[in-house]
Amino acid sequence: MARLKTIEWTGKAVRLIDQTLLPGKLVYEDITNVKDMHHAIKVLKVRGAPAIGIAAAYGLYLAASDFPDDRTSSDFLAYIEKNERYLAGSRPTAVNLFWALNRVKNHAHILADSKTVPEIKVSMLEQAHAILAEDREMGKKIGEHGYELLKQHTNILTHCNAGGLATAEYGTALAPIYVGAESGTAFHVYADETRPLLQGARITAFELQHAGIAVTLLCDNSAAFLMKRGLIDAVVVGADRIAANGDTANKIGTYSVALAAKAHSIPFYVAAPSSTFDPAIASGEDIPIEERDAEEVTEGFGRRTAPQGIDVLNYAFDVTPHELIWGIITEKGALTAPLSESINTVRTS
Ligand code: MRU
């Protein structure tokens, strides 16, 4: 099956698809320094929680690679921490960003007493490679566990893009669809277009069509009506951060879909790797929610569609309360209600 390479290491640079240009142009960009990686994350050239984490891990290595080899390891660690803070400032909601940065930074700290600066740099790059490889594995496992849950259904609605283009390969919400296709089960995906940046239209529809999977594009406001008409059997979405009680932040509009699913007694699942769980946050109330520029709403993609001077509220994410979630599909298996108990088996630090 034709799957796209979202992000990879070329030996000198991080090669990623510039997702702001999809679906019109499939352009790969080589990122060679930390400043360009910060920009790529901020403007959503690379997006989706796991892919942001992978990109940031490589970004911290790119910063490290510019540090002089003959300086002390304590100077090096101070420099790494400064760059970690810089990359962490690129986007606030997806916890995978902070998780991946922390992992690479801690690795450098552990080695600081016993290794030289050049040796630590090599080891940081290996950590970034490991994060990418593990994400690929986690996606496959999420796909297998999710497929077991979803295979009794045919018509699956998803919101935003939690597919291969949001991760290293399989995706999270779309992973069961890909595993299904590999095992001969043909799902039909209904993709919400996902205003204002249209990740559903530009990215989910694109990647599913590219993989030869049946996909129908919907305006965001159609979901409840389609459910009422019996066209949707189940919903599966990704996540940017899952609090200790199971409350889940995902792309703005996810909560409305969950409410509609509840009203129609349709199963609503979240699919996410353990790196998306944030045990330090008790509930969704405390998840930082990104607010983005008004222009994304008033003149997205180049044409003004609102009066000049209009007041805009552009939250990029919302939080779905755990009560609305039937289960969370992870690489370790599917967590079911009550989520506040089953969740303890996932990420503990
Ligand atoms: O703003 P984006 O495009 O980064 O938002 C992405 C999402 O909301 C995804 O659903 C989420 O990150 C999960 S990706 C596997």
Side-chain angles (χ1 to χ4, degrees), residues 11-178:
K12 285 193 192 128
V14 185
R15 180 163 296 162
L16 46 85
I17 295 173
D18 179 351
Q19 298 191 27
T20 62
L21 302 176
L22 291 175
K25 292 184 190 149
L26 180 59
V27 174
Y28 291 86
E29 181 172 333
D30 283 358
I31 308 272
T32 55
N33 62 69
V34 65
K35 196 162 163 270
D36 289 350
M37 186 58 89
H38 180 281
H39 180 71
I41 296 172
K42 193 177 171 67
V43 303
L44 275 58
K45 287 183 182 185
V46 57
R47 31 73 44 208
I52 292 172
I54 298 164
Y58 280 114
L60 197 55
Y61 165 72
L62 289 174
S65 66
D66 283 340
F67 190 83
D69 283 345
D70 56 358
R71 299 261 302 272
T72 66
S73 51
S74 65
D75 283 353
F76 180 63
L77 290 181
Y79 169 86
I80 291 301
E81 275 174 18
K82 192 176 99 199
N83 280 282
E84 183 204 13
R85 285 194 295 278
Y86 173 61
L87 283 164
S90 55
R91 293 193 76 186
T93 303
V95 75
N96 309 59
L97 171 69
F98 313 107
W99 170 84
L101 286 170
N102 202 34
R103 177 164 157 183
V104 178
K105 178 197 71 179
N106 283 345
H107 191 72
H109 267 276
I110 290 165
L111 298 180
D113 286 340
S114 58
K115 303 276 183 203
T116 63
V117 167
E119 285 168 339
I120 304 172
K121 288 182 188 179
V122 170
S123 197
M124 287 172 74
L125 179 59
E126 283 165 3
Q127 275 299 306
H129 290 336
I131 289 171
L132 186 143
E134 287 166 24
D135 186 75
R136 187 171 284 138
E137 269 309 296
M138 288 194 282
K140 176 103 201 289
K141 292 209 175 92
I142 288 170
E144 288 161 1
H145 295 304
Y147 175 62
E148 285 308 310
L149 273 178
L150 293 172
K151 66 183 179 194
Q152 50 179 315
H153 304 299
T154 303
N155 300 299
I156 311 291
L157 185 135
T158 193
H159 191 75
C160 194
N161 173 262
L165 287 166
T167 65
E169 188 178 359
Y170 271 80
T172 60
L174 297 189
I177 311 292
Y178 289 128

Side-chain angles (χ1 to χ4, degrees), residues 82-305:
K82 192 176 99 199
N83 280 282
E84 183 204 13
R85 285 194 295 278
Y86 173 61
L87 283 164
S90 55
R91 293 193 76 186
T93 303
V95 75
N96 309 59
L97 171 69
F98 313 107
W99 170 84
L101 286 170
N102 202 34
R103 177 164 157 183
V104 178
K105 178 197 71 179
N106 283 345
H107 191 72
H109 267 276
I110 290 165
L111 298 180
D113 286 340
S114 58
K115 303 276 183 203
T116 63
V117 167
E119 285 168 339
I120 304 172
K121 288 182 188 179
V122 170
S123 197
M124 287 172 74
L125 179 59
E126 283 165 3
Q127 275 299 306
H129 290 336
I131 289 171
L132 186 143
E134 287 166 24
D135 186 75
R136 187 171 284 138
E137 269 309 296
M138 288 194 282
K140 176 103 201 289
K141 292 209 175 92
I142 288 170
E144 288 161 1
H145 295 304
Y147 175 62
E148 285 308 310
L149 273 178
L150 293 172
K151 66 183 179 194
Q152 50 179 315
H153 304 299
T154 303
N155 300 299
I156 311 291
L157 185 135
T158 193
H159 191 75
C160 194
N161 173 262
L165 287 166
T167 65
E169 188 178 359
Y170 271 80
T172 60
L174 297 189
I177 311 292
Y178 289 128
V179 168
E182 288 165 3
S183 345
T185 304
F187 291 106
H188 189 119
V189 179
Y190 287 86
D192 281 350
E193 73 183 335
T194 318
R195 273 197 51 83
L197 293 183
L198 305 183
Q199 287 91 335
R202 294 188 306 104
I203 303 174
T204 298
F206 172 80
E207 76 162 78
L208 289 174
Q209 197 180 57
H210 187 265
I213 289 169
V215 53
T216 301
L217 182 62
L218 307 175
C219 295
D220 288 343
N221 38 17
S222 332
F225 185 58
L226 263 66
M227 289 176 185
K228 174 92 176 148
R229 291 210 148 177
L231 294 175
I232 307 296
D233 303 322
V235 178
V236 59
V237 296
D240 283 81
R241 195 183 296 224
I242 302 174
N245 68 348
D247 292 353
T248 294
N250 192 49
K251 180 55 56 192
I252 191 80
T254 303
Y255 178 33
S256 314
V257 174
L259 286 169
K262 166 94 176 164
H264 296 91
S265 303
I266 289 171
F268 179 94
Y269 295 107
V270 169
S274 49
S275 51
T276 304
F277 288 75
D278 187 351
I281 283 206
S283 81
E285 291 288 305
D286 300 320
I287 298 178
I289 300 295
E290 179 178 21
E291 282 189 63
R292 295 184 63 88
D293 289 348
E295 288 70 30
E296 290 182 351
V297 179
T298 58
E299 51 198 277
F301 307 99
R303 176 161 175 239
R304 183 98 202 163
T305 51

